[in-house]
Amino acid sequence: MPGGVPTNGPSPGLAVPKTHPNTKNGPIDSPGGASHGNPTSLQPQGATQTCPNCHADPGRQTTKSTGSVDTQTSSQMALDSRRGCGPRHRFLDLSPIAAMIPLLLAALLCVPAGALTCYGDSGQPVDWFVVYKLPALRGSGEAAQRGLQYKYLDESSGGWRDGRGLIDSPEGAVGRSLQPLYRSNTSQLAFLLYNDQRPQARKAQGSSKRGHTKGVLLLDRDGGFWLVHSVPDFPPLASSAAYSWPHSACTYGQTLLCVSFPFAQFSKIGKQLTYTYPQVYDYHLKGIFAQEFPDLENVIKGYHVSQEPWNSSVTLTSQAGAVFQSFAKFSKFGDDLYSGWLAAALGTNLQVQFWHKTVGVLPSNCSDTWQVLNVNQIAFPGPGGPSFNSTEDHSKWCVSPKGPWTCVGDMNRNQGEEQRGGGTLCAQLPALWKAFQPLVKNYQPCNGMARKPSRDYKI
């Protein structure tokens, strides 16, 4: 079926969507929902591999450094072909050009496939990064006024750095990481794009029954990454063939957390998405990906958990061994993610940044063992700041004031989102906590008066 949707019923414990989507563009009633071709190079699990030694031995180099063809005898090329990954051929009385073709094909088949990964601002692969897109700032130059500047953080950046260029550039961390999505041949990849404010959706096409959740899964047969973010109308569909930043996400602050994961971890991520119940608007999931990740197929088709428990926490290990904890809740959980679960699960007080310009905002909560305090103002360190109010910031993150937890996700604190799915991704990484904890300039304690954090203040 289009889009790699399973023909069998949902897994036990998953609910079938009440309405049947239009199958014209695939099983998801959204722009670009159809599959992007049949990945003929992928093979079902257990099938004979065309290239069993590709990951162990890329074979002999067939070109010189000048780019000219390495001249060998026909018998030598036949021997090299048998040593590599291609079929065994005999080359008898063939011209040098004709004899070269099987060898080149064998070499192409044996290119090692490295795992997809997040790319940092340096242009090199990184295990994880955070991009904090700054809100439009008055009187700070054209780029700042347009809301295109960002701060960048990874394990080795030594704290927040100014972003490389602007957020709409394909050369920055976000644009470079998403580049494989916009290449002409995505048949050897799997991806899911989901957003409760999906691109090209009409205002009337609300998704309030779906989770308040935004993200990207992009992987090959060795691994990939999970991009958790707060950006509306993002990213563009794969068929757009180009990375871009939406105009609707320029005015306010946004956060994007990218983590590189091994192939097997996407099974756990798929399970989490059955709780958050995302609105998938573009995808490609076929071959071995569909076999290995049935939960992702169910998510594409619109299934979700149908029985208790209504929340789930799983441990995820990145490609470099960093440990993350994913928290996901379904709408029937019926409570605030932070005060109703997360603070107690982590065993810590939390200061939470979220979108305040909405109805039914929940006040800071001190009714339980662990306090959940709303952040009112954010300030980056250094004389240049910048600083801004939470009403200018659409990002969603929280931090434990005394360490060691930091979480980046896609949920706000309001009454409406108590009845919606969503989640957050947390870690006890020192580099992450040391970067986020100083950002809290003001917060709302439970007496309702704004307060500045200090080293002497204990909550």
Side-chain angles (χ1 to χ4, degrees):
M1 295 181 65
V5 174
T7 55
N8 298 326
S11 302
L14 295 181
V16 180
K18 294 181 180 180
T19 59
H20 295 281
N22 184 354
T23 58
K24 180 178 180 180
N25 293 319
I28 299 301
D29 183 17
S30 61
S35 168
H36 292 274
N38 183 16
T40 55
S41 62
L42 301 183
Q43 299 181 10
Q45 187 177 18
T48 303
Q49 287 187 324
T50 305
C51 184
N53 299 320
C54 283
H55 297 282
D57 181 8
R60 290 187 57 172
Q61 184 175 347
T62 60
T63 58
K64 295 181 180 179
S65 59
T66 60
S68 59
V69 177
D70 190 1
T71 56
Q72 303 179 55
T73 65
S74 298
S75 58
Q76 286 174 324
M77 286 188 284
L79 178 60
D80 286 349
S81 178
R82 290 194 292 270
R83 288 174 178 169
C85 301
R88 298 185 179 184
H89 296 286
R90 291 184 179 181
F91 299 90
L92 300 176
D93 300 324
L94 296 176
S95 67
I97 295 178
M100 178 182 68
I101 295 175
L103 183 59
L104 292 177
L105 291 175
L108 289 173
L109 288 172
C110 291
V111 174
L116 283 179
T117 181
C118 306
Y119 275 83
D121 255 7
S122 65
Q124 299 300 314
V126 295
D127 193 47
W128 61 266
F129 72 72
V130 179
V131 161
Y132 206 129
K133 206 283 295 182
L134 302 175
L137 303 172
R138 294 177 294 275
S140 303
E142 181 182 357
Q145 292 174 11
R146 292 168 57 199
L148 297 177
Q149 291 183 331
Y150 67 93
K151 296 288 186 177
Y152 173 83
L153 171 74
D154 66 27
E155 184 72 35
S156 59
S157 65
W160 296 108
R161 293 182 179 178
D162 290 338
R164 175 181 177 179
L166 304 179
I167 193 66
D168 61 354
S169 169
E171 299 301 319
V174 179
R176 189 180 295 271
S177 297
L178 291 175
Q179 279 306 306
L181 187 63
Y182 302 109
R183 293 173 184 160
S184 59
N185 182 13
T186 59
S187 63
Q188 298 187 49
L189 306 178
F191 63 84
L192 268 74
L193 312 182
Y194 59 93
N195 199 314
D196 57 286
Q197 296 171 280
R198 61 191 189 272
Q200 301 180 7
R202 293 175 298 176
K203 294 295 182 181
Q205 293 178 323
S207 56
S208 60
K209 293 184 179 180
R210 296 288 185 135
H212 190 278
T213 182
K214 302 173 174 68
V216 174
L217 300 182
L218 181 59
L219 63 150
D220 60 19
R221 287 178 287 178
D222 294 304
F225 63 80
W226 188 10
L227 180 67
V228 178
H229 66 86
S230 65
V231 187
D233 307 316
F234 180 83
L237 280 70
S239 59
S240 68
Y243 169 81
S244 62
W245 186 262
H247 178 74
S248 59
C250 290
T251 302
Y252 302 108
Q254 310 287 349
T255 41
L256 305 96
L257 168 63
C258 185
V259 184
S260 306
F261 287 112
F263 186 81
Q265 295 292 285
F266 287 88
S267 179
K268 293 183 179 180
I269 296 172
K271 173 191 173 185
Q272 293 300 85
L273 296 188
T274 65
Y275 285 83
T276 61
Y277 193 31
Q279 177 67 63
V280 178
Y281 64 91
D282 200 6
Y283 66 92
H284 184 275
L285 191 76
K286 285 198 171 188
I288 191 172
F289 302 109
Q291 295 177 28
E292 292 291 331
F293 307 124
D295 278 331
L296 290 181
E297 281 199 292
N298 289 327
V299 167
I300 289 171
K301 197 168 184 178
Y303 297 142
H304 56 73
V305 292
S306 60
Q307 59 189 26
E308 294 185 88
W310 301 117
N311 58 330
S312 171
S313 172
V314 299
T315 300
L316 300 170
T317 304
S318 72
Q319 290 183 13
V323 177
F324 289 82
Q325 199 74 20
S326 168
F327 293 86
K329 76 178 185 78
F330 185 57
S331 58
K332 290 187 178 181
F333 181 73
D335 204 347
D336 175 48
L337 171 68
Y338 305 95
S339 60
W341 179 26
L342 189 61
L346 299 180
T348 181
N349 302 312
L350 293 175
Q351 294 170 330
V352 186
Q353 158 56 32
F354 61 95
W355 180 236
H356 285 233
K357 295 177 73 173
T358 186
V359 297
V361 171
L362 300 174
S364 294
N365 190 322
C366 300
S367 63
D368 212 332
T369 304
W370 305 107
Q371 300 178 0
V372 174
L373 306 174
N374 295 347
V375 173
N376 288 333
Q377 193 172 24
I378 298 95
F380 279 83
S387 64
F388 42 89
N389 297 325
S390 290
T391 52
E392 302 172 89
D393 194 357
H394 192 252
S395 68
K396 296 98 169 59
W397 53 268
C398 65
V399 64
S400 53
K402 302 299 178 182
W405 287 101
T406 307
C407 307
V408 179
D410 45 34
M411 291 218 79
N412 300 305
R413 298 197 66 237
N414 60 54
Q415 294 175 2
E417 291 184 34
E418 290 182 332
Q419 311 300 324
R420 295 181 70 176
T424 192
L425 194 57
C426 304
Q428 301 182 77
L429 300 174
L432 198 59
W433 183 81
K434 290 178 181 178
F436 271 91
Q437 193 275 336
L439 297 185
V440 180
K441 185 176 182 180
N442 277 292
Y443 61 88
Q444 179 193 50
C446 292
N447 61 14
M449 300 294 292
R451 188 164 187 174
K452 296 181 179 180
S454 68
R455 293 182 180 179
D456 298 329
Y457 177 65
K458 297 181 180 180
I459 59 174

